[in-house]
Amino acid sequence: MSVLVFVDHTQGSFKKKAFETVNYAAETAKRIGGGDVTAVVLGTVSNEEINQLGQYGATKVLHLNDARFDNFSARAYAKAIAAGVQQAGAKVVIVSYNVSGKAVAGILAAQLKAGLVSGAVDYPQTDNGFVVKKTVFSGKAFAHVKITSDVKIIALVPNTFAPKKGEGAAAAEALNVSLSDADFGITKVAEDVVKGEIPLSEAELVVSGGRGLKGPENWGILEDLGKAFGATLACSRPVADAHWRPHHEHVGQTGGTIRPNLYVAVGISGAIQHLAGVNSSKTIVVINKDPEAPFFKAADYGVVGDAFEVLPKLTEAVNKFKA
Ligand code: FAD
């Protein structure tokens, strides 16, 4: 049975989560008895970049090299992916549980009359039907959901698995679908591109600030710690809502989902909606002046103290250790 994976790119280059979804699709194909692993790529991406997908398990790539796809449009993307599903004869469709994946998955499910499990955190089990494990209640619990429809869609939580590179090569084919400008129906008015920093979804080390830092003028002490660690910055939602920090730094249920090796949370209470985005981090360090802060329950290491005293000392210690 053939598996199709929608592979997202950022301005023509694939990030870690793209390779992760291809690996996941390849493992899923094995579990359902083998078959093609077809990657769908939409927009301007070089052949060199596309060739990498074979090394992560794709056996075929359907590429629609149409610059209109360089700006995300859920309707047009879903239409193109649905055409890819028909072309490949795929029975399982994999997308990443990120902004674009979430947006297309629902439309695809309606179009293909397919069962959808969003927020998957493991490979499907096939001993007794087709069962997918997903997080529920903002990551507090898991559910095992059986999909019984002919076509099945899985939206995989990014950073669930570390992508593994192999040796394979994928055959490229054009994706056959015709789209009118009306199918796109979206105009990009602005783009917020973050330069220089490792993006949060890729970062192994993350230093994050909450309302306990009192205001944007105090972010310097967090940035200093971030620099000392070589970490990417994140924040809680109220911090982004108050425009203390840009929205792309917001993590949690309504923000990014991350799984770094180290997550340092400073002045963040640890509300369930925040934990939903970070509680799979390998090591969590919490710095909070309230010993009763709920985040301490999820922490591997905790410092009860005032961030304004603790951070400069911690930064100094990290810098000394590096010297
Ligand atoms: P607060 O709750 O105000 O906590 C500040 C913390 O800082 C406290 O624990 C305090 O003890 C500590 N502190 C204060 N001063 C100091 C100091 N000097 N030194 C050290 N510590 C100090 N939130 C998210 O983060 N991400 C989401 O995606 C998200 N989605 C949501 C979705 C919905 C539907 C809803 C209803 C809420 C969502 N929230 C989300 C909001 C969430 O419920 C919390 O309100 C939010 O996470 C709290 O942010 P905070 O911890 O920065 O602030």
Side-chain angles (χ1 to χ4, degrees):
M1 249 196 292
S2 160
V3 176
L4 179 134
V5 51
F6 163 53
V7 190
D8 216 356
H9 61 91
T10 309
Q11 295 172 334
S13 70
F14 298 124
K15 303 286 180 213
K16 199 167 86 180
K17 65 174 183 294
F19 299 128
E20 180 190 14
T21 47
V22 178
N23 267 177
Y24 183 87
E27 177 60 29
T28 300
K30 262 192 225 152
R31 287 175 180 232
I32 58 173
D36 266 330
V37 178
T38 304
V40 167
V41 179
L42 305 172
T44 315
V45 184
S46 69
N47 288 341
E48 200 183 20
E49 195 70 15
I50 283 177
N51 286 343
Q52 294 185 75
L53 299 179
Q55 294 165 341
Y56 289 90
T59 55
K60 212 160 53 159
V61 178
L62 297 177
H63 182 201
L64 189 52
N65 194 353
D66 179 335
R68 290 178 299 176
F69 284 100
D70 293 348
N71 295 329
F72 179 71
S73 155
R75 206 184 329 152
Y77 269 55
K79 197 167 175 183
I81 298 166
V85 172
Q86 304 299 337
Q87 196 172 326
K91 293 295 180 196
V92 181
V93 181
I94 312 292
V95 301
S96 184
Y97 189 58
N98 60 3
V99 175
S100 53
K102 284 179 202 175
V104 294
I107 304 175
L108 271 180
Q111 280 181 357
L112 301 171
K113 297 196 175 13
L116 159 67
V117 172
S118 56
V121 289
D122 204 348
Y123 296 112
Q125 298 297 320
T126 52
D127 311 337
N128 178 19
F130 189 95
V131 178
V132 185
K133 181 178 173 184
K134 64 163 285 177
T135 55
V136 288
F137 303 124
S138 302
K140 281 275 180 197
F142 297 107
H144 294 83
V145 182
K146 189 183 266 189
I147 314 183
T148 54
S149 52
D150 182 34
V151 177
K152 302 160 177 64
I153 305 178
I154 302 174
L156 173 69
V157 172
N159 298 321
T160 298
F161 300 102
K164 287 192 195 113
K165 201 170 174 176
E167 292 281 306
E173 220 179 89
L175 173 61
N176 301 321
V177 60
S178 89
L179 291 155
S180 70
D181 284 347
D183 286 317
F184 288 83
I186 264 184
T187 313
K188 182 161 74 175
V189 288
E191 188 167 287
D192 191 4
V193 182
V194 192
K195 293 209 171 97
E197 210 178 65
I198 301 170
L200 261 180
S201 58
E202 309 275 305
E204 299 291 355
L205 305 167
V206 175
V207 167
S208 187
R211 214 149 41 175
L213 285 178
K214 316 285 185 226
E217 66 281 4
N218 296 325
W219 238 256
I221 51 169
L222 196 76
E223 284 168 353
D224 288 346
L225 182 65
K227 265 189 216 134
F229 274 127
T232 300
L233 295 186
C235 67
S236 66
R237 175 170 159 174
V239 163
D241 284 347
H243 304 292
W244 295 0
R245 299 297 299 174
H247 258 293
H248 68 255
E249 286 186 7
H250 147 211
V251 288
Q253 184 184 324
T254 46
T257 304
I258 57 171
R259 293 190 166 213
N261 284 330
L262 176 68
Y263 183 71
V264 184
V266 184
I268 302 177
S269 56
I272 184 173
Q273 297 90 355
H274 184 85
L275 290 175
V278 304
N279 63 1
S280 299
S281 305
K282 306 254 167 24
T283 303
I284 296 179
V285 177
V286 170
I287 301 169
N288 197 303
K289 70 175 188 184
D290 175 8
E292 301 298 322
F295 220 149
F296 283 121
K297 291 206 178 97
D300 297 289
Y301 300 94
V303 180
V304 178
D306 187 328
F308 297 95
E309 287 168 22
V310 175
L311 283 196
K313 286 185 189 152
L314 183 56
T315 304
E316 195 187 327
V318 174
N319 282 332
K320 246 193 214 154
F321 180 77
K322 281 176 13 189

